[in-house]
Amino acid sequence: MKVAVLGAGAIGAYVGAALDRAGAEVHLVARGAHLRAMRESGVRVLSPRGDFSATPHATDDPAEIGPVDHVFLGLKANQYASAGPLLEPLLGPKTSLIAAQNGIPWWYFHGVPGPFEGRRIETVDPGGAVSAVMPPERAIGCVVYAATEIAEPGVIRHLEGTRLSIGEPDGTISARCTEFADAMVEGGLKCPVEPELRKDIWVKLMGNIAFNPISALARATMAAICRHDNTRALVVEMMRETLDVATALGVETDVSIERRLAGAERTGEHKTSTLQDLEKGKPLELDAILAAVVELAELADVAVPTLRVVNALADLLNANVTTATPALAAAQGGAR
């Protein structure tokens, strides 16, 4: 099995190292100091389950790799539309795209029967820009429950969880899913093939949709948000509205709001990825997490007043970050 990991950051390099350990032919696509370290010394994983190292091929040029069986996408969802030049050399006739993203994926209505079958979600696939480079028929959904971080270039710290659930948009248990899942398990990870992956998407989204934007707006950790009475109540309301949208689209989850809150509170003084991006001056990955749910609420005729307010605030914050980033980069370049 030949796999390319496009965007071999914290989760991508972790998955790539596990697949390499399983005997797959793995190619990591990355850049900067992280790439240089992986080229020189491979990937070192520090984990409470046991440290290990792997030496997959690492490059910044997908043309060196050629067509593969699977592309594991470790990119942010807001980078998908511009990923065409990187993806093109990796695609063969049957190459799958396994997108490890938070929030609502661009393929959400692909292969699902009902009134919205095949409908494009403009927020995550504006004008079909993502579908043009990542055709939905290539997509395998992926919901990541593992938590990792880059401790230093080439070194991945595994914090908790080893589960990455995958599934076909149409709910079938396909040979391509089974092949990939078997290799993941052989490499030491959990990778169930879920016929109803959309349930997993909404369960994880319950937390992301509330904690990610609030953490950025309030500059607060997950535990701090839970401890504060007013933000805790805001989280509950956002989760309730999110579940209303899921239900209207035919998805019933089996995880309660209180259970989801309790799990978040146990995470402790953790900064969400959105808050970390904000602190680094990076664009915020909130379209798929928040704005897409507001769009789906309109489609399903569900009232989501709280989500709308938070989305408006988060959208303005992201606009300010996006505007400020080029100026900051220019200033830093001038200082050097």
Side-chain angles (χ1 to χ4, degrees):
M1 189 178 77
K2 185 177 180 181
V3 181
V5 178
L6 184 56
I11 195 65
Y14 177 60
V15 167
L19 289 172
D20 181 82
R21 184 164 64 165
E25 179 187 339
V26 178
H27 303 267
L28 306 180
V29 181
R31 61 184 181 181
H34 188 48
L35 171 61
R36 290 193 294 273
M38 291 191 295
R39 277 175 164 167
E40 293 171 4
S41 306
V43 179
R44 187 156 60 98
V45 176
L46 309 178
S47 172
R49 303 176 70 250
D51 300 349
F52 70 95
S53 297
T55 55
H57 171 238
T59 181
D60 59 358
D61 183 8
E64 292 181 6
I65 302 168
V68 298
D69 298 307
H70 306 281
V71 177
F72 184 87
L73 290 162
L75 303 172
K76 296 278 191 180
N78 53 16
Q79 298 174 308
Y80 288 172
S82 60
L86 295 172
L87 274 173
E88 188 174 359
L90 304 173
L91 299 181
K94 296 183 179 180
T95 303
S96 75
L97 302 176
I98 303 169
Q101 71 162 94
N102 288 322
I104 301 297
W106 82 100
W107 53 261
Y108 187 86
F109 286 125
H110 176 71
V112 58
F116 306 125
E117 183 173 5
R119 188 183 181 101
R120 187 176 73 241
I121 303 172
E122 194 67 24
T123 313
V124 293
D125 190 10
V130 175
S131 294
V133 297
M134 297 166 57
E137 57 269 20
R138 289 188 182 271
I140 292 176
C142 180
V143 179
V144 179
Y145 295 95
T148 58
E149 64 183 12
I150 298 178
E152 60 184 82
V155 180
I156 305 301
R157 180 176 290 112
H158 170 228
L159 303 173
E160 61 178 354
T162 60
R163 177 181 162 198
L164 291 86
S165 297
I166 64 172
E168 291 284 355
D170 65 2
T172 58
I173 306 298
S174 65
R176 64 181 188 171
C177 278
T178 302
E179 174 190 55
F180 185 80
D182 287 348
M184 291 279 278
V185 172
E186 184 69 21
L189 305 183
K190 296 178 182 178
C191 190
V193 180
E194 301 287 358
E196 296 181 284
L197 190 70
R198 288 173 182 82
K199 284 188 177 182
D200 289 70
I201 289 172
W202 285 100
V203 168
K204 187 169 185 189
L205 185 55
M206 284 172 66
N208 290 144
I209 201 168
F211 288 102
N212 285 53
I214 293 174
S215 69
L217 290 164
R219 310 305 203 270
T221 64
M222 293 177 69
I225 293 168
C226 290
R227 286 195 303 264
H228 189 272
D229 289 345
N230 289 338
T231 51
R232 187 183 185 94
L234 180 59
V235 167
V236 169
E237 190 56 36
M238 292 178 73
M239 287 185 176
R240 183 178 295 116
E241 291 181 2
T242 300
L243 291 180
D244 287 345
V245 178
T247 299
L249 294 174
V251 179
E252 295 287 349
T253 64
D254 53 4
V255 177
S256 70
I257 289 174
E258 281 306 316
R259 180 179 166 191
R260 199 70 180 83
L261 261 174
E265 196 162 11
R266 284 195 301 271
T267 304
E269 303 303 331
H270 171 70
K271 294 181 179 181
T272 68
S273 59
T274 304
L275 176 55
Q276 292 178 48
D277 285 345
L278 177 67
E279 292 178 340
K280 295 173 184 176
K282 295 181 177 180
L284 310 182
E285 188 189 21
L286 290 176
D287 283 347
I289 290 172
L290 178 54
V293 178
V294 174
E295 181 179 344
L296 291 176
E298 293 178 357
L299 191 64
D301 196 23
V302 176
V304 288
T306 309
L307 295 181
R308 286 183 181 279
V309 169
V310 176
N311 182 52
L313 294 170
D315 190 53
L316 177 57
L317 175 63
N318 190 42
N320 289 338
V321 170
T322 305
T323 302
T325 299
L328 177 61
Q332 290 174 336
R336 286 195 296 272

